[in-house]
Amino acid sequence: GEATPGAIVSVSPWTDLTIQNASVDENEDNDKMLSRNTLELFRGAWLQEPGVDFADPKISLVNADLTGLPPTIVLYGEYETLADDGAQLGRRLKDFKVTSEVHPLPEGQHSFVLGAGRVPEVDEAIQRMGQWLRKHLGA
């Protein structure tokens, strides 16, 4: 019953807590911030109830009904462990006809925004986020 936000900026989203996406292992050597072991550690700390179903739509956004979400922009690094999560979220948003854009950052790491002010491509991505918000929030 809560009001939805006017727009969503999703950076390096983790949407599938089953940790099944191929990029988790394929980008193991590329992603300097995350790994399968780190994801399993975080998941175990957050979801401690025995028998929890990690695929439950209340837990894994990738399985949720996205109907009614506000305009959403998804940005992720192509080299990050969660690259497939970002791409998959983009596809699901389109499936649910949510106004959306998806922008993979070539060679980007998880939480690539930490490179702000030092990596021109990150600065461009941040400018894109600002433009998105201004467009959809009317600022």
Side-chain angles (χ1 to χ4, degrees), residues 64-128:
D65 181 345
L66 305 181
T67 302
L69 280 183
T72 302
I73 185 171
V74 179
L75 301 101
Y76 62 90
E78 289 183 340
Y79 275 13
E80 73 171 284
T81 299
L82 298 175
D84 288 343
D85 285 56
Q88 193 172 32
L89 176 57
R91 289 189 299 274
R92 298 272 296 152
L93 289 165
K94 286 183 182 179
D95 290 346
F96 281 88
K97 302 197 180 352
V98 175
T99 299
S100 60
E101 288 183 15
V102 179
H103 299 279
L105 184 70
E107 299 181 19
Q109 299 282 312
H110 179 69
S111 295
F112 64 86
V113 294
L114 296 173
R118 295 182 300 281
V119 179
E121 294 84 358
V122 171
D123 293 340
E124 290 170 18
I126 292 170
Q127 287 176 343
R128 182 176 289 126

Side-chain angles (χ1 to χ4, degrees), residues 29-78:
D29 293 334
N30 296 326
D31 193 333
K32 304 306 178 200
M33 295 196 59
L34 284 182
S35 66
R36 174 176 290 283
N37 289 340
T38 306
L39 292 174
E40 289 173 353
L41 176 73
F42 288 155
R43 182 179 68 183
W46 298 334
L47 302 168
Q48 298 178 3
E49 183 178 322
V52 67
D53 179 4
F54 298 127
D56 186 314
K58 295 177 196 159
I59 294 169
S60 286
L61 182 63
V62 72
N63 298 322
D65 181 345
L66 305 181
T67 302
L69 280 183
T72 302
I73 185 171
V74 179
L75 301 101
Y76 62 90
E78 289 183 340

Side-chain angles (χ1 to χ4, degrees), residues 3-22:
T4 59
I8 295 173
V9 174
S10 180
V11 178
S12 297
W14 186 10
T15 62
D16 183 358
L17 275 77
T18 66
I19 314 177
Q20 301 276 332
N21 283 321

